[in-house]
Amino acid sequence: MSKVTIYSIAEELNVSASTVSRAFSRPELVKSDVRDQILALAERLGYQPNKTARRLVTGVTGAIGLFVPDITNPFMPPLVRAIQQAAVERDASVLLVDAEEDSRAELGLITRIAGQVDGMIIVSPRSASSVIKQAVGRKPTVLINRVMDGVPSVVCDNTSALREAGGHLVELGHRTIALLRGPSASWAAQRRSEAVRIWARKADVALIELGPFDASFDGGRAGAEAFAESGATAVFAFDDLAACGVVAGLSDRGLRVPAHRSVVGCDDVLLARVLTPSLTTITAPVDDLGTTAVRMLEEALAGNDPEPIRLPGTFVPRDSTGPAAS
Amino acid sequence: MSKVTIYSIAEELNVSASTVSRAFSRPELVKSDVRDQILALAERLGYQPNKTARRLVTGVTGAIGLFVPDITNPFMPPLVRAIQQAAVERDASVLLVDAEEDSRAELGLITRIAGQVDGMIIVSPRSASSVIKQAVGRKPTVLINRVMDGVPSVVCDNTSALREAGGHLVELGHRTIALLRGPSASWAAQRRSEAVRIWARKADVALIELGPFDASFDGGRAGAEAFAESGATAVFAFDDLAACGVVAGLSDRGLRVPAHRSVVGCDDVLLARVLTPSLTTITAPVDDLGTTAVRMLEEALAGNDPEPIRLPGTFVPRDSTGPAAS
DNA sequence: TTGAAAGCGCTAACAC
DNA sequence: GTGTTAGCGCTTTCAA
């Protein structure tokens, strides 16, 4: 039982190897009855065109590189899934690279996979631009949640959802609200803070800015201390993980959510739904983010350069916000 | 600036392409000064052997397929990371496939990547054995958290940690304890239940078995109802996610953890640490699981067939367990 | 220790 | 529409 190739099929059917090849790669070029015969025999023999050989001659790998800073961040898995799914639909595979928050390793990892993929999707709020530029220089690249001149990107825009969240807090009677600022190197963190700031000014609420804190559970926990002493009754946490930290930190001080303080998260990761109390937060359109990124990469691969896209998040009130304690 | 190949290097140095090839693939076969020259020039030119070409002739892809049932399950990301890291150390890449809990798609996805990798790691507690056998038949395969005759596997063994957890509950005064059973199709779930059962018999505590429930937040929430009415004061949840569900379900009934009821999770996923109260649970040795799987796959690839390995989990008391309410 | 030559399995001109 | 002919960039006998 030797391996089946276009040659073995060609021989069996008394056609040339090219015809067999065409039957798979450009079916419209071969007469339909011949094509059907070929496909049928191939099916019966369990033939699959050898991707490696195809790749060697065409130069297309059929793989896309997915670079994530930290797959352990709860925001990532659903995004990875969405990308993976969109890739499979396009008959592409996903080569995953997790930088493990090690910025020194990033460049090496990127160059490493660049040679094995057609293009890359980079989800990296904090990588140095120089690193990203390296990647962009090698292969068509799409950025997620980060914008950079001349590079296609999809970002989640929370501006209006944050406004809604603010309105919700005001309705609940909150007049002094804290903002836990995220890492200053994070593009998303900056935009978020700015959006809250603008809203607060217009809504005439007292905004107490705290931080910056790490975008982590411990960051949130640290923030809780400042928040508890700030006189604010509600807080915008940097993201859901930080919000969990805030809840924990408040609990350490005997403060309950939402009875004593209200907390708003961001992203709506799994955490937000399973925490007790469940988190009022802003749902990021992860699925859209992922499929859009893949679609844009496809365009970029086709030689166009797609316009940056922003997808709005949506506000979801849950149980971590309640009436302001008097 | 044409692309640099073994030929361009060979020409430049007046050696044959074979020599250049050897300098990279079997350096010991080429005289050291020649080799140094070649390597130096290659370095200067930024030459990297073309993996595709190499792959075509050798048949090794340098990639390992990682098949996960649901990357959204919080147990997975750290595992994926560990595997990815171990792979990078061996100069291999990871082709990720997420089945999205769609068992019908599994087979297709597996066959799909089988052709693109040297071997596979499958983390699939619930896939049909037939599907797994398919994979195993195609490429060397290592199973994580599942055992199957004749297939190398690494599993997490929680028996002794569960015993410890039980002891901990008894010390806290619990005498009637509930067991939330996981999905009956899950290999891990069965072993867990069995371990708890055996412990309970020996420890002379009343064990109330409930379920089976889904290994999910909602499954836990459903379980909470049964638990609340069971008369038990503590519960072994199927995993941490289910434990979160239990906490939520109890809270719906006005029951607090750990004041009114104690809850023990399993796996020690991120969730467990960021929940308030933090979960008493059993830490799965994910890093070890991942690196061991990669090591075993490497062995399998080398033609050996490695013995199944079990790695013990460790008990971690936290804040979700407390003295039994009287 | 090195070189020549023959492929790995496929695609893509080009000619028929 | 189909066949012929060259490769894609590398590894690997086999001889020298």
Side-chain angles (χ1 to χ4, degrees):
Chain A
M1 175 209 122
S2 64
K3 69 188 59 165
V4 15
T5 69
I6 47 173
Y7 291 104
S8 53
I9 295 186
E11 196 172 10
E12 187 93 8
L13 258 33
N14 274 323
V15 295
S16 78
S18 325
T19 304
V20 178
S21 169
R22 287 190 194 105
F24 288 95
S25 48
R26 336 233 344 235
E28 70 281 7
L29 293 185
V30 22
K31 211 165 53 177
S32 59
D33 55 332
V34 186
R35 192 202 317 143
D36 293 346
Q37 258 187 86
I38 294 175
L39 263 24
L41 180 57
E43 170 79 51
R44 194 151 61 68
L45 265 35
Y47 169 77
Q48 296 268 97
N50 179 317
K51 294 211 181 193
T52 305
R54 183 176 270 180
R55 173 174 313 181
L56 180 57
V57 51
T58 61
V60 324
T61 69
I64 79 185
L66 175 54
F67 183 88
V68 302
D70 173 15
I71 200 185
T72 264
N73 180 318
F75 185 73
M76 297 302 162
L79 186 57
V80 171
R81 152 174 293 188
I83 289 171
Q84 144 93 30
Q85 183 172 9
V88 167
E89 275 165 17
R90 284 169 176 69
D91 215 53
S93 12
V94 173
L95 218 54
L96 179 72
V97 178
D98 172 11
E100 310 184 32
E101 292 283 20
D102 177 355
S103 47
R104 289 158 313 168
E106 287 181 356
L107 187 55
L109 289 167
I110 287 190
T111 29
R112 192 171 195 301
I113 56 160
Q116 308 179 52
V117 299
D118 297 331
M120 321 231 277
I121 294 179
I122 299 186
V123 194
S124 193
R126 267 167 306 198
S127 299
S129 329
S130 61
V131 170
I132 295 185
K133 282 199 181 107
Q134 281 285 333
V136 172
R138 287 169 195 275
K139 295 280 173 171
T141 299
V142 172
L143 264 26
I144 292 183
N145 269 358
R146 165 139 187 182
V147 290
M148 218 166 134
D149 264 9
V151 185
S153 60
V154 216
V155 305
C156 176
D157 182 355
N158 292 322
T159 321
S160 87
L162 281 168
R163 246 184 342 244
E164 270 186 77
H168 165 81
L169 290 176
V170 168
E171 263 177 36
L172 288 169
H174 299 275
R175 292 295 175 270
T176 306
I177 299 180
L179 166 65
L180 252 49
R181 279 189 313 225
S184 47
S186 162
W187 183 86
Q190 297 315 314
R191 289 205 41 94
R192 245 181 83 69
S193 295
E194 189 56 26
V196 172
R197 227 169 264 139
I198 292 175
W199 164 79
R201 209 169 304 141
K202 285 205 188 134
D204 197 34
V205 315
L207 186 71
I208 303 183
E209 297 203 23
L210 271 18
F213 297 99
D214 265 11
S216 68
F217 178 73
D218 288 331
R221 198 159 194 155
E225 180 169 0
F227 168 43
E229 293 167 358
S230 70
T233 56
V235 63
F236 287 102
F238 169 66
D239 62 12
D240 291 335
L241 196 51
C244 287
V246 171
V247 171
L250 290 175
S251 163
D252 291 345
R253 292 176 173 66
L255 295 171
R256 292 269 196 59
V257 174
H260 306 302
R261 295 286 189 283
S262 288
V263 177
V264 176
C266 190
D267 292 344
D268 195 14
V269 300
L270 177 62
L271 232 46
R273 276 159 288 175
V274 307
L275 192 73
T276 303
S278 58
L279 282 178
T280 291
T281 187
I282 289 165
T283 306
V286 254
D287 284 4
D288 248 23
L289 239 30
T291 52
T292 305
V294 173
R295 190 164 43 66
M296 289 177 84
L297 183 56
E298 197 176 28
E299 278 186 50
L301 252 18
N304 313 318
D305 63 321
E307 289 298 304
I309 290 186
R310 36 187 21 166
L311 267 19
T314 64
F315 173 62
V316 198
R318 293 213 186 92
D319 302 336
S320 65
T321 44
S326 50
Chain B
M1 174 209 121
S2 65
K3 68 188 58 164
V4 16
T5 69
I6 49 172
Y7 291 103
S8 54
I9 295 186
E11 195 172 13
E12 188 93 8
L13 259 33
N14 274 322
V15 296
S16 78
S18 322
T19 303
V20 178
S21 169
R22 287 191 192 104
F24 287 96
S25 49
R26 336 222 0 223
E28 70 281 8
L29 293 185
V30 22
K31 211 164 55 176
S32 60
D33 55 332
V34 184
R35 191 203 317 144
D36 293 347
Q37 258 186 87
I38 295 175
L39 263 25
L41 179 57
E43 170 80 52
R44 195 150 61 69
L45 264 34
Y47 169 77
Q48 296 268 98
N50 179 318
K51 292 211 181 195
T52 305
R54 182 177 273 181
R55 174 174 313 180
L56 180 57
V57 51
T58 60
V60 325
T61 69
I64 80 185
L66 175 54
F67 183 88
V68 302
D70 173 15
I71 201 185
T72 264
N73 179 319
F75 184 73
M76 297 301 163
L79 186 58
V80 171
R81 152 174 294 189
I83 289 171
Q84 143 93 30
Q85 183 173 8
V88 166
E89 276 165 16
R90 284 168 177 71
D91 216 53
S93 11
V94 173
L95 218 54
L96 178 72
V97 178
D98 173 9
E100 308 183 33
E101 292 283 20
D102 177 354
S103 47
R104 290 158 312 168
E106 287 181 356
L107 187 55
L109 289 167
I110 286 190
T111 30
R112 194 173 194 302
I113 55 159
Q116 308 180 53
V117 300
D118 297 331
M120 323 231 276
I121 294 180
I122 298 186
V123 194
S124 191
R126 268 167 307 194
S127 299
S129 329
S130 61
V131 169
I132 295 185
K133 281 197 182 113
Q134 281 283 334
V136 172
R138 287 167 194 278
K139 295 280 173 172
T141 299
V142 171
L143 263 27
I144 292 183
N145 268 358
R146 165 141 186 179
V147 290
M148 218 166 135
D149 264 9
V151 185
S153 60
V154 217
V155 305
C156 175
D157 182 354
N158 292 322
T159 321
S160 86
L162 280 168
R163 247 187 337 247
E164 269 185 77
H168 165 81
L169 290 176
V170 167
E171 264 176 36
L172 288 169
H174 299 275
R175 291 296 175 270
T176 306
I177 299 181
L179 167 65
L180 252 49
R181 277 188 314 226
S184 48
S186 163
W187 183 86
Q190 298 315 316
R191 289 204 42 93
R192 245 180 83 68
S193 296
E194 191 54 25
V196 172
R197 227 168 264 139
I198 292 175
W199 164 77
R201 208 170 305 141
K202 285 206 189 133
D204 197 35
V205 314
L207 186 71
I208 303 184
E209 297 202 24
L210 270 19
F213 296 100
D214 265 12
S216 68
F217 178 73
D218 289 331
R221 199 157 192 156
E225 182 170 358
F227 168 44
E229 293 166 357
S230 71
T233 55
V235 64
F236 287 101
F238 170 66
D239 64 9
D240 292 335
L241 196 52
C244 288
V246 172
V247 170
L250 290 175
S251 163
D252 291 345
R253 295 176 169 65
L255 295 171
R256 292 270 195 59
V257 174
H260 306 303
R261 294 287 190 283
S262 287
V263 177
V264 176
C266 189
D267 292 345
D268 195 15
V269 300
L270 177 62
L271 233 46
R273 275 159 289 177
V274 307
L275 192 73
T276 303
S278 58
L279 282 179
T280 292
T281 189
I282 288 164
T283 307
V286 256
D287 284 4
D288 247 22
L289 238 33
T291 53
T292 304
V294 173
R295 190 164 43 65
M296 289 176 83
L297 184 55
E298 197 176 30
E299 277 185 50
L301 253 16
N304 313 319
D305 63 321
E307 288 298 304
I309 291 185
R310 37 188 18 167
L311 267 19
T314 63
F315 174 63
V316 200
R318 293 212 185 91
D319 301 335
S320 66
T321 44
S326 48

